[in-house]
Amino acid sequence: MDDPYRDPELVPLYDIDNPDGEDRAFYRTLADELDAHSIIDLGCGTGLLTRSLATPGRTVIGVDPSQTMLDYARRQPGADSVTWIHGDASALAPNATTDLAICTGNAIMHVAPGELPRTLTSIARALRPGGTFSFESRNPARRAWESWTPEATYHERDTPVGHLREWLTVIDVHEGRVTFDAHNVFPDGEDRVYTSVLYFRSAEELRRDLYAAGFTDVAYYGDWDGTPLDDNSRIAVFRATC
Ligand SMILES: C[S@@+](CC[C@H](N)C(=O)[O-])C[C@H]1O[C@@H](n2cnc3c(N)ncnc32)[C@H](O)[C@@H]1O
């Protein structure tokens, strides 16, 4: 296995590591403000946010390429209110009917440069004219990967799969593409090492990509509360109109 999102023992830890917070609150508020009746959550993962969006009168679709994440999502309370699709953006129906598409938890950073234009175009084709796409992506100016050292990230903890020792090691940084290993040492001593690649893109780069895919009115902020983006911002939060 080369992907932590496909490890059936680690996937249940995802919601423990990423509990509900201001990011999910932002997307829920946005959906309410837009009075969105149809929502697509691309890269929905365990579906914590997806399920909470599925209020009465709404159609919510969760899409993810990890079958393990989707299997977990489908077992959670409220999962029946969501339509789960195994796949990436190419699985979205180009029916121009959706009010809101989101891509959260920095999921867009998993999309390789060669895939990004197609991904954004597929999202645009699923949205109705005037529909909204919102997502966040880590700010490369903050250089978060510099703190992903074994010393800074090492920790031990008790989990439902036993006592784990975990740490990160950056393997390569090249033009915004950061490759790193996540070590997960299980109680029997097995070290499951997952190599992940994240694509850090500047807000201006992403804005250009969004316009190229047909979006208009692209705006971005440096936090969930609308703070302007600067070099210290951890993330860039985007909102674009179709
Ligand atoms: C960090 S998780 C985010 C999950 C969820 N959106 C959240 O906010 O907690 C990243 C997710 O992106 C998914 N992913 C990876 N590559 C993707 C792609 N090309 N298109 C859509 N999703 C992708 C992974 O399977 C994983 O579930």
Side-chain angles (χ1 to χ4, degrees), residues 74-123:
R74 281 195 180 101
R75 291 197 299 270
Q76 304 313 305
D80 291 348
S81 307
V82 174
T83 300
W84 305 99
I85 298 180
H86 180 219
D88 57 18
S90 64
L92 299 176
N95 53 12
T97 58
T98 305
D99 295 323
L100 171 66
I102 57 175
C103 187
T104 74
N106 296 306
I108 202 84
M109 297 181 72
H110 292 283
V111 180
E115 267 182 75
L116 189 64
R118 269 197 308 274
T119 297
L120 296 178
T121 305
S122 297
I123 294 167

mmCIF file of all heavy atoms in Angstrom, residues 74-123:
data_model
loop_
_atom_site.group_PDB
_atom_site.id
_atom_site.type_symbol
_atom_site.label_atom_id
_atom_site.label_comp_id
_atom_site.label_asym_id
_atom_site.label_seq_id
_atom_site.Cartn_x
_atom_site.Cartn_y
_atom_site.Cartn_z
ATOM 1 N N ARG A 74 -19.337 5.387 4.540
ATOM 2 C CA ARG A 74 -20.653 4.747 4.381
ATOM 3 C C ARG A 74 -21.145 4.079 5.667
ATOM 4 O O ARG A 74 -22.336 3.861 5.839
ATOM 5 C CB ARG A 74 -20.580 3.671 3.292
ATOM 6 C CG ARG A 74 -20.630 4.207 1.889
ATOM 7 C CD ARG A 74 -20.921 3.068 0.904
ATOM 8 N NE ARG A 74 -20.968 3.564 -0.453
ATOM 9 C CZ ARG A 74 -19.969 3.435 -1.330
ATOM 10 N NH1 ARG A 74 -18.856 2.805 -0.982
ATOM 11 N NH2 ARG A 74 -20.094 3.922 -2.542
ATOM 12 N N ARG A 75 -20.214 3.743 6.574
ATOM 13 C CA ARG A 75 -20.600 3.070 7.830
ATOM 14 C C ARG A 75 -20.979 4.060 8.926
ATOM 15 O O ARG A 75 -21.411 3.654 10.002
ATOM 16 C CB ARG A 75 -19.435 2.200 8.338
ATOM 17 C CG ARG A 75 -19.120 0.981 7.501
ATOM 18 C CD ARG A 75 -18.262 -0.019 8.268
ATOM 19 N NE ARG A 75 -16.974 0.544 8.676
ATOM 20 C CZ ARG A 75 -15.865 0.493 7.940
ATOM 21 N NH1 ARG A 75 -15.886 -0.075 6.749
ATOM 22 N NH2 ARG A 75 -14.728 1.001 8.395
ATOM 23 N N GLN A 76 -20.813 5.373 8.697
ATOM 24 C CA GLN A 76 -21.033 6.350 9.760
ATOM 25 C C GLN A 76 -22.498 6.785 9.830
ATOM 26 O O GLN A 76 -23.222 6.710 8.828
ATOM 27 C CB GLN A 76 -20.131 7.587 9.539
ATOM 28 C CG GLN A 76 -18.661 7.250 9.434
ATOM 29 C CD GLN A 76 -18.192 6.292 10.537
ATOM 30 O OE1 GLN A 76 -18.369 6.572 11.715
ATOM 31 N NE2 GLN A 76 -17.616 5.172 10.138
ATOM 32 N N PRO A 77 -22.937 7.265 11.015
ATOM 33 C CA PRO A 77 -24.333 7.713 11.142
ATOM 34 C C PRO A 77 -24.649 8.820 10.143
ATOM 35 O O PRO A 77 -23.836 9.723 9.942
ATOM 36 C CB PRO A 77 -24.394 8.271 12.582
ATOM 37 C CG PRO A 77 -23.201 7.718 13.287
ATOM 38 C CD PRO A 77 -22.162 7.427 12.258
ATOM 39 N N GLY A 78 -25.797 8.727 9.501
ATOM 40 C CA GLY A 78 -26.214 9.760 8.548
ATOM 41 C C GLY A 78 -25.703 9.523 7.140
ATOM 42 O O GLY A 78 -25.994 10.300 6.225
ATOM 43 N N ALA A 79 -24.955 8.444 6.943
ATOM 44 C CA ALA A 79 -24.341 8.188 5.633
ATOM 45 C C ALA A 79 -25.380 7.961 4.537
ATOM 46 O O ALA A 79 -25.127 8.249 3.363
ATOM 47 C CB ALA A 79 -23.409 6.978 5.715
ATOM 48 N N ASP A 80 -26.566 7.468 4.938
ATOM 49 C CA ASP A 80 -27.602 7.176 3.941
ATOM 50 C C ASP A 80 -28.144 8.434 3.271
ATOM 51 O O ASP A 80 -28.798 8.343 2.225
ATOM 52 C CB ASP A 80 -28.768 6.410 4.590
ATOM 53 C CG ASP A 80 -28.356 5.010 4.977
ATOM 54 O OD1 ASP A 80 -27.265 4.580 4.545
ATOM 55 O OD2 ASP A 80 -29.104 4.353 5.723
ATOM 56 N N SER A 81 -27.895 9.598 3.868
ATOM 57 C CA SER A 81 -28.394 10.855 3.287
ATOM 58 C C SER A 81 -27.480 11.378 2.191
ATOM 59 O O SER A 81 -27.755 12.423 1.599
ATOM 60 C CB SER A 81 -28.512 11.925 4.372
ATOM 61 O OG SER A 81 -29.260 11.443 5.441
ATOM 62 N N VAL A 82 -26.365 10.691 1.957
ATOM 63 C CA VAL A 82 -25.366 11.153 0.979
ATOM 64 C C VAL A 82 -25.257 10.119 -0.137
ATOM 65 O O VAL A 82 -25.361 8.918 0.108
ATOM 66 C CB VAL A 82 -23.984 11.321 1.656
ATOM 67 C CG1 VAL A 82 -22.899 11.669 0.644
ATOM 68 C CG2 VAL A 82 -24.048 12.371 2.773
ATOM 69 N N THR A 83 -25.040 10.589 -1.367
ATOM 70 C CA THR A 83 -24.701 9.683 -2.473
ATOM 71 C C THR A 83 -23.186 9.636 -2.564
ATOM 72 O O THR A 83 -22.533 10.678 -2.732
ATOM 73 C CB THR A 83 -25.284 10.207 -3.804
ATOM 74 O OG1 THR A 83 -26.697 10.297 -3.669
ATOM 75 C CG2 THR A 83 -24.927 9.285 -4.962
ATOM 76 N N TRP A 84 -22.613 8.451 -2.395
ATOM 77 C CA TRP A 84 -21.148 8.309 -2.388
ATOM 78 C C TRP A 84 -20.688 7.791 -3.748
ATOM 79 O O TRP A 84 -21.240 6.817 -4.268
ATOM 80 C CB TRP A 84 -20.723 7.335 -1.284
ATOM 81 C CG TRP A 84 -21.241 7.715 0.068
ATOM 82 C CD1 TRP A 84 -22.330 7.199 0.707
ATOM 83 C CD2 TRP A 84 -20.701 8.715 0.954
ATOM 84 N NE1 TRP A 84 -22.507 7.811 1.926
ATOM 85 C CE2 TRP A 84 -21.527 8.744 2.108
ATOM 86 C CE3 TRP A 84 -19.610 9.597 0.890
ATOM 87 C CZ2 TRP A 84 -21.296 9.605 3.183
ATOM 88 C CZ3 TRP A 84 -19.380 10.451 1.960
ATOM 89 C CH2 TRP A 84 -20.213 10.457 3.083
ATOM 90 N N ILE A 85 -19.690 8.431 -4.307
ATOM 91 C CA ILE A 85 -19.165 8.018 -5.618
ATOM 92 C C ILE A 85 -17.673 7.743 -5.487
ATOM 93 O O ILE A 85 -16.906 8.597 -4.991
ATOM 94 C CB ILE A 85 -19.401 9.103 -6.688
ATOM 95 C CG1 ILE A 85 -20.907 9.335 -6.884
ATOM 96 C CG2 ILE A 85 -18.742 8.723 -8.014
ATOM 97 C CD1 ILE A 85 -21.241 10.399 -7.918
ATOM 98 N N HIS A 86 -17.277 6.564 -5.928
ATOM 99 C CA HIS A 86 -15.863 6.202 -5.927
ATOM 100 C C HIS A 86 -15.217 6.734 -7.204
ATOM 101 O O HIS A 86 -15.591 6.342 -8.309
ATOM 102 C CB HIS A 86 -15.717 4.674 -5.859
ATOM 103 C CG HIS A 86 -14.301 4.225 -5.843
ATOM 104 N ND1 HIS A 86 -13.860 3.108 -6.511
ATOM 105 C CD2 HIS A 86 -13.215 4.763 -5.247
ATOM 106 C CE1 HIS A 86 -12.570 2.977 -6.329
ATOM 107 N NE2 HIS A 86 -12.152 3.963 -5.558
ATOM 108 N N GLY A 87 -14.278 7.670 -7.052
ATOM 109 C CA GLY A 87 -13.619 8.204 -8.238
ATOM 110 C C GLY A 87 -13.056 9.580 -7.965
ATOM 111 O O GLY A 87 -13.010 10.040 -6.815
ATOM 112 N N ASP A 88 -12.601 10.221 -9.031
ATOM 113 C CA ASP A 88 -12.102 11.593 -8.902
ATOM 114 C C ASP A 88 -13.072 12.514 -9.648
ATOM 115 O O ASP A 88 -14.204 12.125 -9.957
ATOM 116 C CB ASP A 88 -10.654 11.709 -9.393
ATOM 117 C CG ASP A 88 -10.510 11.252 -10.838
ATOM 118 O OD1 ASP A 88 -11.535 11.182 -11.551
ATOM 119 O OD2 ASP A 88 -9.367 10.965 -11.258
ATOM 120 N N ALA A 89 -12.612 13.718 -9.987
ATOM 121 C CA ALA A 89 -13.526 14.694 -10.589
ATOM 122 C C ALA A 89 -14.101 14.202 -11.921
ATOM 123 O O ALA A 89 -15.182 14.642 -12.332
ATOM 124 C CB ALA A 89 -12.801 16.028 -10.784
ATOM 125 N N SER A 90 -13.403 13.270 -12.580
ATOM 126 C CA SER A 90 -13.906 12.778 -13.872
ATOM 127 C C SER A 90 -15.206 11.995 -13.699
ATOM 128 O O SER A 90 -15.919 11.737 -14.674
ATOM 129 C CB SER A 90 -12.847 11.922 -14.575
ATOM 130 O OG SER A 90 -12.584 10.778 -13.797
ATOM 131 N N ALA A 91 -15.518 11.615 -12.447
ATOM 132 C CA ALA A 91 -16.763 10.872 -12.193
ATOM 133 C C ALA A 91 -17.964 11.805 -12.040
ATOM 134 O O ALA A 91 -19.098 11.331 -11.929
ATOM 135 C CB ALA A 91 -16.607 10.026 -10.928
ATOM 136 N N LEU A 92 -17.732 13.114 -12.032
ATOM 137 C CA LEU A 92 -18.839 14.058 -11.841
ATOM 138 C C LEU A 92 -19.648 14.187 -13.125
ATOM 139 O O LEU A 92 -19.070 14.317 -14.220
ATOM 140 C CB LEU A 92 -18.306 15.440 -11.454
ATOM 141 C CG LEU A 92 -17.494 15.513 -10.149
ATOM 142 C CD1 LEU A 92 -16.946 16.928 -9.960
ATOM 143 C CD2 LEU A 92 -18.371 15.100 -8.966
ATOM 144 N N ALA A 93 -20.975 14.185 -12.990
ATOM 145 C CA ALA A 93 -21.829 14.365 -14.171
ATOM 146 C C ALA A 93 -21.724 15.820 -14.636
ATOM 147 O O ALA A 93 -21.880 16.738 -13.828
ATOM 148 C CB ALA A 93 -23.269 14.030 -13.809
ATOM 149 N N PRO A 94 -21.472 16.013 -15.957
ATOM 150 C CA PRO A 94 -21.319 17.388 -16.452
ATOM 151 C C PRO A 94 -22.674 18.026 -16.730
ATOM 152 O O PRO A 94 -22.941 18.499 -17.840
ATOM 153 C CB PRO A 94 -20.509 17.180 -17.743
ATOM 154 C CG PRO A 94 -20.892 15.810 -18.198
ATOM 155 C CD PRO A 94 -21.239 14.995 -16.983
ATOM 156 N N ASN A 95 -23.545 18.026 -15.704
ATOM 157 C CA ASN A 95 -24.939 18.400 -15.955
ATOM 158 C C ASN A 95 -25.291 19.829 -15.545
ATOM 159 O O ASN A 95 -26.458 20.215 -15.598
ATOM 160 C CB ASN A 95 -25.884 17.401 -15.263
ATOM 161 C CG ASN A 95 -25.547 17.250 -13.795
ATOM 162 O OD1 ASN A 95 -24.768 18.036 -13.263
ATOM 163 N ND2 ASN A 95 -26.111 16.257 -13.141
ATOM 164 N N ALA A 96 -24.303 20.602 -15.160
ATOM 165 C CA ALA A 96 -24.502 22.036 -14.885
ATOM 166 C C ALA A 96 -25.702 22.314 -13.986
ATOM 167 O O ALA A 96 -26.491 23.218 -14.252
ATOM 168 C CB ALA A 96 -24.631 22.800 -16.211
ATOM 169 N N THR A 97 -25.820 21.516 -12.914
ATOM 170 C CA THR A 97 -26.991 21.687 -12.034
ATOM 171 C C THR A 97 -26.622 21.969 -10.571
ATOM 172 O O THR A 97 -27.494 22.340 -9.791
ATOM 173 C CB THR A 97 -27.855 20.408 -12.041
ATOM 174 O OG1 THR A 97 -27.039 19.315 -11.624
ATOM 175 C CG2 THR A 97 -28.442 20.129 -13.412
ATOM 176 N N THR A 98 -25.370 21.772 -10.203
ATOM 177 C CA THR A 98 -24.999 21.820 -8.782
ATOM 178 C C THR A 98 -24.806 23.256 -8.306
ATOM 179 O O THR A 98 -24.210 24.078 -9.001
ATOM 180 C CB THR A 98 -23.704 20.999 -8.569
ATOM 181 O OG1 THR A 98 -23.929 19.682 -9.067
ATOM 182 C CG2 THR A 98 -23.306 20.936 -7.116
ATOM 183 N N ASP A 99 -25.315 23.533 -7.094
ATOM 184 C CA ASP A 99 -25.199 24.889 -6.540
ATOM 185 C C ASP A 99 -23.803 25.162 -5.970
ATOM 186 O O ASP A 99 -23.298 26.278 -6.067
ATOM 187 C CB ASP A 99 -26.211 25.082 -5.401
ATOM 188 C CG ASP A 99 -27.643 25.015 -5.894
ATOM 189 O OD1 ASP A 99 -27.910 25.507 -7.010
ATOM 190 O OD2 ASP A 99 -28.493 24.467 -5.160
ATOM 191 N N LEU A 100 -23.231 24.151 -5.325
ATOM 192 C CA LEU A 100 -21.965 24.368 -4.610
ATOM 193 C C LEU A 100 -21.093 23.123 -4.714
ATOM 194 O O LEU A 100 -21.560 22.006 -4.463
ATOM 195 C CB LEU A 100 -22.259 24.663 -3.124
ATOM 196 C CG LEU A 100 -21.066 24.699 -2.168
ATOM 197 C CD1 LEU A 100 -20.126 25.872 -2.495
ATOM 198 C CD2 LEU A 100 -21.546 24.817 -0.709
ATOM 199 N N ALA A 101 -19.830 23.325 -5.086
ATOM 200 C CA ALA A 101 -18.835 22.241 -5.037
ATOM 201 C C ALA A 101 -17.757 22.670 -4.050
ATOM 202 O O ALA A 101 -17.341 23.838 -4.036
ATOM 203 C CB ALA A 101 -18.231 21.997 -6.415
ATOM 204 N N ILE A 102 -17.304 21.725 -3.221
ATOM 205 C CA ILE A 102 -16.224 22.023 -2.275
ATOM 206 C C ILE A 102 -15.149 20.941 -2.386
ATOM 207 O O ILE A 102 -15.417 19.826 -2.856
ATOM 208 C CB ILE A 102 -16.739 22.108 -0.811
ATOM 209 C CG1 ILE A 102 -17.445 20.802 -0.408
ATOM 210 C CG2 ILE A 102 -17.682 23.307 -0.644
ATOM 211 C CD1 ILE A 102 -17.866 20.761 1.054
ATOM 212 N N CYS A 103 -13.952 21.296 -1.971
ATOM 213 C CA CYS A 103 -12.838 20.338 -1.965
ATOM 214 C C CYS A 103 -12.023 20.722 -0.730
ATOM 215 O O CYS A 103 -11.292 21.719 -0.759
ATOM 216 C CB CYS A 103 -12.038 20.472 -3.270
ATOM 217 S SG CYS A 103 -10.759 19.223 -3.473
ATOM 218 N N THR A 104 -12.183 19.974 0.348
ATOM 219 C CA THR A 104 -11.729 20.435 1.667
ATOM 220 C C THR A 104 -10.594 19.571 2.227
ATOM 221 O O THR A 104 -10.262 18.526 1.679
ATOM 222 C CB THR A 104 -12.912 20.441 2.653
ATOM 223 O OG1 THR A 104 -13.205 19.076 3.015
ATOM 224 C CG2 THR A 104 -14.149 21.054 2.034
ATOM 225 N N GLY A 105 -10.034 20.025 3.340
ATOM 226 C CA GLY A 105 -8.926 19.295 3.958
ATOM 227 C C GLY A 105 -7.715 19.301 3.051
ATOM 228 O O GLY A 105 -6.926 18.352 3.058
ATOM 229 N N ASN A 106 -7.562 20.371 2.260
ATOM 230 C CA ASN A 106 -6.435 20.513 1.329
ATOM 231 C C ASN A 106 -6.381 19.382 0.298
ATOM 232 O O ASN A 106 -5.310 19.065 -0.221
ATOM 233 C CB ASN A 106 -5.099 20.573 2.083
ATOM 234 C CG ASN A 106 -4.998 21.793 2.972
ATOM 235 O OD1 ASN A 106 -5.172 22.915 2.498
ATOM 236 N ND2 ASN A 106 -4.744 21.588 4.259
ATOM 237 N N ALA A 107 -7.536 18.780 0.024
ATOM 238 C CA ALA A 107 -7.558 17.646 -0.918
ATOM 239 C C ALA A 107 -7.046 18.051 -2.298
ATOM 240 O O ALA A 107 -6.463 17.229 -3.011
ATOM 241 C CB ALA A 107 -8.967 17.070 -1.006
ATOM 242 N N ILE A 108 -7.228 19.304 -2.672
ATOM 243 C CA ILE A 108 -6.791 19.762 -4.003
ATOM 244 C C ILE A 108 -5.274 19.596 -4.158
ATOM 245 O O ILE A 108 -4.758 19.457 -5.271
ATOM 246 C CB ILE A 108 -7.206 21.240 -4.240
ATOM 247 C CG1 ILE A 108 -7.263 21.591 -5.718
ATOM 248 C CG2 ILE A 108 -6.303 22.217 -3.511
ATOM 249 C CD1 ILE A 108 -8.515 21.247 -6.402
ATOM 250 N N MET A 109 -4.558 19.579 -3.015
ATOM 251 C CA MET A 109 -3.091 19.468 -3.077
ATOM 252 C C MET A 109 -2.623 18.085 -3.503
ATOM 253 O O MET A 109 -1.454 17.892 -3.812
ATOM 254 C CB MET A 109 -2.487 19.842 -1.724
ATOM 255 C CG MET A 109 -2.772 21.281 -1.332
ATOM 256 S SD MET A 109 -2.025 21.726 0.239
ATOM 257 C CE MET A 109 -0.284 21.793 -0.224
ATOM 258 N N HIS A 110 -3.552 17.133 -3.528
ATOM 259 C CA HIS A 110 -3.202 15.790 -4.008
ATOM 260 C C HIS A 110 -3.294 15.704 -5.529
ATOM 261 O O HIS A 110 -2.868 14.710 -6.115
ATOM 262 C CB HIS A 110 -4.147 14.739 -3.407
ATOM 263 C CG HIS A 110 -3.979 14.562 -1.927
ATOM 264 N ND1 HIS A 110 -2.928 13.853 -1.398
ATOM 265 C CD2 HIS A 110 -4.696 15.028 -0.886
ATOM 266 C CE1 HIS A 110 -3.030 13.865 -0.080
ATOM 267 N NE2 HIS A 110 -4.084 14.581 0.259
ATOM 268 N N VAL A 111 -3.904 16.713 -6.133
ATOM 269 C CA VAL A 111 -4.118 16.660 -7.582
ATOM 270 C C VAL A 111 -2.848 17.133 -8.298
ATOM 271 O O VAL A 111 -2.400 18.268 -8.110
ATOM 272 C CB VAL A 111 -5.338 17.525 -7.980
ATOM 273 C CG1 VAL A 111 -5.561 17.479 -9.484
ATOM 274 C CG2 VAL A 111 -6.585 17.058 -7.236
ATOM 275 N N ALA A 112 -2.290 16.261 -9.130
ATOM 276 C CA ALA A 112 -1.030 16.559 -9.826
ATOM 277 C C ALA A 112 -1.250 17.647 -10.878
ATOM 278 O O ALA A 112 -2.372 17.804 -11.382
ATOM 279 C CB ALA A 112 -0.503 15.286 -10.486
ATOM 280 N N PRO A 113 -0.187 18.391 -11.227
ATOM 281 C CA PRO A 113 -0.335 19.474 -12.202
ATOM 282 C C PRO A 113 -0.987 19.009 -13.509
ATOM 283 O O PRO A 113 -1.826 19.713 -14.072
ATOM 284 C CB PRO A 113 1.106 19.940 -12.445
ATOM 285 C CG PRO A 113 1.824 19.570 -11.193
ATOM 286 C CD PRO A 113 1.176 18.313 -10.685
ATOM 287 N N GLY A 114 -0.632 17.811 -13.965
ATOM 288 C CA GLY A 114 -1.201 17.318 -15.223
ATOM 289 C C GLY A 114 -2.691 17.057 -15.143
ATOM 290 O O GLY A 114 -3.396 17.018 -16.152
ATOM 291 N N GLU A 115 -3.181 16.844 -13.907
ATOM 292 C CA GLU A 115 -4.601 16.525 -13.678
ATOM 293 C C GLU A 115 -5.428 17.755 -13.352
ATOM 294 O O GLU A 115 -6.653 17.731 -13.472
ATOM 295 C CB GLU A 115 -4.724 15.674 -12.399
ATOM 296 C CG GLU A 115 -4.735 14.202 -12.470
ATOM 297 C CD GLU A 115 -4.921 13.685 -11.029
ATOM 298 O OE1 GLU A 115 -6.036 13.765 -10.504
ATOM 299 O OE2 GLU A 115 -3.919 13.253 -10.445
ATOM 300 N N LEU A 116 -4.771 18.824 -12.867
ATOM 301 C CA LEU A 116 -5.522 19.945 -12.295
ATOM 302 C C LEU A 116 -6.459 20.631 -13.299
ATOM 303 O O LEU A 116 -7.629 20.861 -12.970
ATOM 304 C CB LEU A 116 -4.581 20.956 -11.630
ATOM 305 C CG LEU A 116 -5.287 22.040 -10.822
ATOM 306 C CD1 LEU A 116 -6.043 21.449 -9.632
ATOM 307 C CD2 LEU A 116 -4.291 23.094 -10.333
ATOM 308 N N PRO A 117 -5.999 20.949 -14.530
ATOM 309 C CA PRO A 117 -6.935 21.614 -15.459
ATOM 310 C C PRO A 117 -8.189 20.782 -15.712
ATOM 311 O O PRO A 117 -9.304 21.301 -15.675
ATOM 312 C CB PRO A 117 -6.103 21.780 -16.745
ATOM 313 C CG PRO A 117 -4.686 21.774 -16.277
ATOM 314 C CD PRO A 117 -4.653 20.830 -15.108
ATOM 315 N N ARG A 118 -8.006 19.456 -15.892
ATOM 316 C CA ARG A 118 -9.169 18.579 -16.127
ATOM 317 C C ARG A 118 -10.078 18.533 -14.893
ATOM 318 O O ARG A 118 -11.297 18.515 -14.995
ATOM 319 C CB ARG A 118 -8.690 17.149 -16.414
ATOM 320 C CG ARG A 118 -8.469 16.836 -17.871
ATOM 321 C CD ARG A 118 -8.421 15.325 -18.091
ATOM 322 N NE ARG A 118 -7.490 14.625 -17.211
ATOM 323 C CZ ARG A 118 -6.202 14.460 -17.464
ATOM 324 N NH1 ARG A 118 -5.690 14.939 -18.573
ATOM 325 N NH2 ARG A 118 -5.428 13.806 -16.619
ATOM 326 N N THR A 119 -9.453 18.510 -13.730
ATOM 327 C CA THR A 119 -10.223 18.460 -12.479
ATOM 328 C C THR A 119 -11.096 19.709 -12.336
ATOM 329 O O THR A 119 -12.298 19.621 -12.064
ATOM 330 C CB THR A 119 -9.258 18.349 -11.275
ATOM 331 O OG1 THR A 119 -8.542 17.115 -11.397
ATOM 332 C CG2 THR A 119 -9.991 18.388 -9.947
ATOM 333 N N LEU A 120 -10.488 20.881 -12.562
ATOM 334 C CA LEU A 120 -11.243 22.135 -12.413
ATOM 335 C C LEU A 120 -12.332 22.244 -13.474
ATOM 336 O O LEU A 120 -13.439 22.708 -13.199
ATOM 337 C CB LEU A 120 -10.288 23.334 -12.481
ATOM 338 C CG LEU A 120 -9.252 23.402 -11.353
ATOM 339 C CD1 LEU A 120 -8.335 24.611 -11.543
ATOM 340 C CD2 LEU A 120 -9.920 23.453 -9.975
ATOM 341 N N THR A 121 -12.034 21.794 -14.691
ATOM 342 C CA THR A 121 -13.046 21.837 -15.756
ATOM 343 C C THR A 121 -14.219 20.915 -15.423
ATOM 344 O O THR A 121 -15.386 21.265 -15.639
ATOM 345 C CB THR A 121 -12.412 21.435 -17.112
ATOM 346 O OG1 THR A 121 -11.298 22.285 -17.335
ATOM 347 C CG2 THR A 121 -13.387 21.587 -18.255
ATOM 348 N N SER A 122 -13.927 19.742 -14.882
ATOM 349 C CA SER A 122 -15.010 18.810 -14.517
ATOM 350 C C SER A 122 -15.892 19.418 -13.433
ATOM 351 O O SER A 122 -17.126 19.265 -13.457
ATOM 352 C CB SER A 122 -14.433 17.482 -14.005
ATOM 353 O OG SER A 122 -13.706 16.848 -15.016
ATOM 354 N N ILE A 123 -15.275 20.100 -12.474
ATOM 355 C CA ILE A 123 -16.068 20.752 -11.410
ATOM 356 C C ILE A 123 -16.942 21.842 -12.032
ATOM 357 O O ILE A 123 -18.141 21.941 -11.740
ATOM 358 C CB ILE A 123 -15.132 21.338 -10.325
ATOM 359 C CG1 ILE A 123 -14.394 20.205 -9.607
ATOM 360 C CG2 ILE A 123 -15.918 22.195 -9.333
ATOM 361 C CD1 ILE A 123 -13.228 20.654 -8.742
#
